[in-house]
């Protein structure tokens, strides 16, 4: 796909991730088909979907001779934990700029993987990306070449990982014949995954509608960001302009990291019926949106992972 093979890449995951039919859920819900793309099984710790961008971001860091990976996010960031593990596996040091209270199971994992945590001391999320780049510049100026990555790894290069996922999906869907094309549903945080998916679908000529379930930003804002990143990703790859159908729904509900009672109930149903473990920040919201859309035709729920929070949040024991 485009210039993808020429981009430096550090292999972390086990791909393709399985694409399965959730027949037990279909029976309980009384509708279907419901397909599940199991990026929770991406094979690199608990990184889930974030394994994909990290392969290319670490590749770029290595190609530039970086010794340190600097990134950041919120205290519960799945991406930060994944980045810490990925940096360790590539022999890089890792620094994480964290807003809010710097304690969570994910940050405990990041610390255990050797990351150094740099709390910002306030709750300003947007400031993190600026501070990440400033810290990377500071380290580089002091003789420790550093590669800065904004929150979620959501750059055009990070999105390349998910563009490849679209090609993977096209192959898996192969010759399956559908009366209707499945609606692809996935959680949207910083937008890189959805953007890469749009770019990849256009690149391989697979016309599937996409429903992005926004968990942290207003739909108009994240929709524009996703489209911009998708265009930038396609430009980087030299592939077709991503003009596919994208709808964004607002799933911010009770707040970032907290699922509504309905989303939590449905996550519990997925666990008990199909053994799918969904976190309260991304998975429960996206799965619930998938259930809402099942009456309208086949749905492909992209399980993006995020397993650690699921084991430690209220969703697992209530
Ligand atoms: C488990 C999980 N699912 C979905 C997302 C959303 O992906 P993106 O930030 O690329 O929109 C994230 C982001 O960190 C995540 O950790």
């Amino acid at each position: 796909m485009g210039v993808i093979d020429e981009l430096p890449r550090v292999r972390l995951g086990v791909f393709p991730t399985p694409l399965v039919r959730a027949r037990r859920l279909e029976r309980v819900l009384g509708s279907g088909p419901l397909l599940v793309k199991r990026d929770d099984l991406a094979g690199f710790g608990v990184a889930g979907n974030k394994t994909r961008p990290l392969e290319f971001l670490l590749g770029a860091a290595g190609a530039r001779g970086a010794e340190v990976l600097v990134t950041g996010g919120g205290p519960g960031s799945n991406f930060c934990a994944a980045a810490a593990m990925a940096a360790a596996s590539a022999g890089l040091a890792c620094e994480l700029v964290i807003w809010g209270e710097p304690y969570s199971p994910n940050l405990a994992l990041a610390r255990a993987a050797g990351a150094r945590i740099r709390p910002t001391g306030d709750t300003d999320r947007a400031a993190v990306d600026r501070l990440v780049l400033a810290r990377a510049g500071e380290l580089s100026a002091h003789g420790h070449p550093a590669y800065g990555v904004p929150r979620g790894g959501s750059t055009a290069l990070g999105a390349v990982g998910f563009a490849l996922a679209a090609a993977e999906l096209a192959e898996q869907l192969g010759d399956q014949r559908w009366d209707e094309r499945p609606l692809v549903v996935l959680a949207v945080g910083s937008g890189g995954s959805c953007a890469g998916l749009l770019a990849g679908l256009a690149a391989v000529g697979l016309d599937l509608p996409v429903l992005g379930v926004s968990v942290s930003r207003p739909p108009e804002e994240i929709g524009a960001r996703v489209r911009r990143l998708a265009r930038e990703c396609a430009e980087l790859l030299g592939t077709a302009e991503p003009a596919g159908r994208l709808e964004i729904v607002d799933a911010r509900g009770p707040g970032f990291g907290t699922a509504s009672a309905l989303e939590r109930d449905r996550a519990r149903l997925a666990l008990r019926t199909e053994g799918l473990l969904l976190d309260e920040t991304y998975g429960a919201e996206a799965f619930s949106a998938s259930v809402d859309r099942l009456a309208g035709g086949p749905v492909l729920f992209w399980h993006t992972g995020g397993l650690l929070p699921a084991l430690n949040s209220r969703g697992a024991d209530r």
Side-chain angles (χ1 to χ4, degrees):
M1 181 194 294
V3 297
I4 230 162
D5 291 337
E6 292 160 31
L7 294 173
R9 180 177 180 187
V10 172
R11 303 275 174 169
L12 299 170
V14 181
F15 300 115
T17 58
L19 178 69
V20 298
R21 181 104 183 245
R23 291 186 192 275
R24 291 173 61 80
L25 271 169
E26 287 176 7
R27 276 200 293 278
V28 172
L29 294 167
S31 49
L34 174 61
L35 296 160
V36 184
K37 179 70 171 150
R38 300 286 310 263
D39 267 12
D40 55 321
L41 304 179
F44 184 68
V46 291
N49 63 327
K50 290 299 171 180
T51 308
R52 297 184 185 274
L54 279 166
E55 291 198 342
F56 290 94
L57 294 168
L58 272 180
R64 289 178 197 194
E67 293 172 7
V68 189
L69 180 74
V70 185
T71 187
S77 170
N78 177 50
F79 176 71
C80 284
M85 292 190 302
S89 85
L92 269 68
C94 180
E95 289 201 9
L96 300 172
V97 178
I98 302 294
W99 59 262
E101 289 288 313
Y103 304 102
S104 75
N106 273 322
L107 285 191
L109 172 58
R111 281 193 184 88
R116 180 159 172 220
I117 311 294
R118 300 180 65 86
T120 64
D122 64 40
T123 54
D124 182 357
R125 300 177 191 196
V128 166
D129 290 344
R130 189 172 34 79
L131 293 171
V132 162
L133 295 182
R135 179 62 185 156
E138 192 181 12
L139 282 164
S140 301
H142 286 87
H144 300 290
Y147 186 71
V149 171
R151 286 171 294 163
S154 289
T155 62
L157 180 64
V160 165
F162 244 80
L164 260 189
E168 188 180 300
L169 177 65
E171 200 148 303
Q172 288 174 318
L173 288 175
D175 294 331
Q176 290 192 43
R177 295 278 172 256
W178 304 94
D179 292 339
E180 274 180 84
R181 290 163 189 274
L183 172 71
V184 180
V185 181
L186 84 167
V188 177
S190 52
S193 308
C194 190
L197 183 63
L198 289 181
L201 289 174
V204 297
L206 183 60
D207 181 20
L208 298 180
V210 175
L211 179 70
V213 181
S214 180
V215 301
S216 61
R217 291 170 167 88
E220 316 73 53
E221 181 188 327
I222 192 65
R225 185 182 158 91
V226 165
R227 288 197 180 284
R228 176 178 54 76
L229 273 171
R231 272 196 309 275
E232 290 174 5
C233 177
E235 274 164 27
L236 192 157
L237 291 173
T239 50
E241 189 180 337
R245 286 166 285 167
L246 170 69
E247 183 191 348
I248 304 266
V249 288
D250 193 347
R252 287 172 297 163
F256 185 63
T258 313
S260 69
L262 175 66
E263 290 161 349
R264 206 175 286 152
D265 279 351
R266 285 175 169 172
R268 193 181 295 121
L269 179 75
L271 180 60
R272 294 189 179 167
T273 311
E274 203 79 53
L276 296 177
L277 185 56
L278 300 167
D279 76 320
E280 245 196 268
T281 307
Y282 301 100
E285 286 81 345
F287 176 70
S288 184
S290 303
V291 173
D292 285 338
R293 296 302 173 102
L294 263 178
V299 167
L300 188 155
F301 162 57
W302 204 298
H303 188 340
T304 48
L307 297 180
L308 199 60
L311 298 172
N312 291 279
S313 70
R314 291 166 295 179
D317 55 16
R318 276 212 269 163

